[in-house]
Amino acid sequence: MKKIKLYIFHPYSRIGGADLSLSRLINNLDGKKYSITFITLEKPRIKFYLKKKIEIQIIKKKRAIYSIFEIRKIVKKNKIKFSKIIFLSNQNFANIISVFALTRINWIKLILIERNNPIELDYSKKFKDKLIKILIKVTYRFSDKIISISKELARDLQKICNKNVSTIYNASYDLNIFKLAKKK
């Protein structure tokens, strides 16, 4: 049986909430069923949380926008090796880049995870933030699935994207928290 290839694109892997959530996902996936590649632009700090070995691809670009063609190259080379290929992206700017990178590659399932409410971008005066909001509206509809971390975020995204959005709350339960609670 061929494995399922799972790419996870998180351009700036720093130790924070997104890394912690992604590491829990990775740690709980069956290694016999999934082959996982983590794509980032810098040395990933997510390795601190990982209990299993995964392939890490570092795209040496200063900005995430410049990684579009590299992402495309990485995923295209594995078309025949796996029964299914899933590309998971994390946070709005990375999600937009993923949609552009995977345009017209129909054999990949693209799942976007959104953690930040795009309505927040309305309060910014930066051109970049206004552009991101427009690109969310235009690009997210080309994904196979959109996942939000709260019901309110899902409702707001559905209005903006005109596409169904599922809610999966962050997995915050961790047995380690009981050990940490006993420490001073």
Side-chain angles (χ1 to χ4, degrees), residues 36 51 74 91 105 122 124 149 158 177:
I36 303 167
K51 294 176 185 166
I74 290 168
Q91 296 177 319
I105 303 178
D122 292 339
S124 174
I149 62 166
Q158 282 176 193
I177 203 159

Side-chain angles (χ1 to χ4, degrees), residues 4-151:
I4 296 170
K5 182 66 177 178
L6 177 62
Y7 291 100
I8 299 172
F9 178 51
H10 188 53
Y12 305 107
S13 173
R14 297 179 176 106
I15 297 177
D19 281 306
L20 188 56
S21 293
L22 290 172
S23 67
R24 285 189 179 124
L25 170 70
I26 293 166
N27 288 333
N28 287 296
L29 287 173
D30 183 353
K32 293 175 186 166
K33 188 175 179 183
Y34 293 93
S35 170
I36 303 167
T37 299
F38 188 83
I39 302 171
T40 185
L41 301 184
E42 58 192 19
K43 182 180 176 187
R45 296 196 177 94
I46 193 173
K47 287 167 59 171
F48 173 79
Y49 293 121
L50 296 178
K51 294 176 185 166
K52 57 175 78 169
K53 279 191 154 189
I54 63 167
E55 179 186 359
I56 295 179
Q57 291 264 310
I58 299 173
I59 298 174
K60 294 181 178 166
K61 301 289 183 187
K62 293 273 187 214
R63 302 197 50 199
I65 189 79
Y66 303 136
S67 66
I68 291 172
F69 297 110
E70 293 295 319
I71 291 169
R72 202 168 171 83
K73 265 194 258 181
I74 290 168
V75 298
K76 277 187 148 187
K77 71 181 178 187
N78 284 314
K79 181 179 181 180
I80 301 169
K81 294 179 189 174
F82 297 95
S83 63
K84 183 187 276 187
I85 299 177
I86 300 169
F87 194 96
L88 192 103
S89 182
N90 194 40
Q91 296 177 319
N92 56 29
F93 68 96
N95 292 340
I96 293 164
I97 289 166
S98 298
V99 171
F100 284 123
L102 301 176
T103 298
R104 296 193 179 150
I105 303 178
N106 299 328
W107 39 269
I108 293 178
K109 297 292 179 198
L110 176 59
I111 301 172
L112 308 179
I113 299 174
E114 187 54 72
R115 301 176 180 286
N116 303 311
N117 198 319
I119 289 175
E120 293 172 0
L121 300 170
D122 292 339
Y123 301 103
S124 174
K125 292 184 172 140
K126 294 180 184 175
F127 174 75
K128 176 183 171 185
D129 292 338
K130 303 287 183 200
L131 181 61
I132 287 173
K133 175 104 183 257
I134 292 166
L135 289 172
I136 287 171
K137 186 175 186 171
V138 172
T139 60
Y140 276 37
R141 60 191 165 106
F142 294 105
S143 66
D144 293 292
K145 190 78 180 158
I146 302 171
I147 298 171
S148 73
I149 62 166
S150 74
K151 293 220 183 267

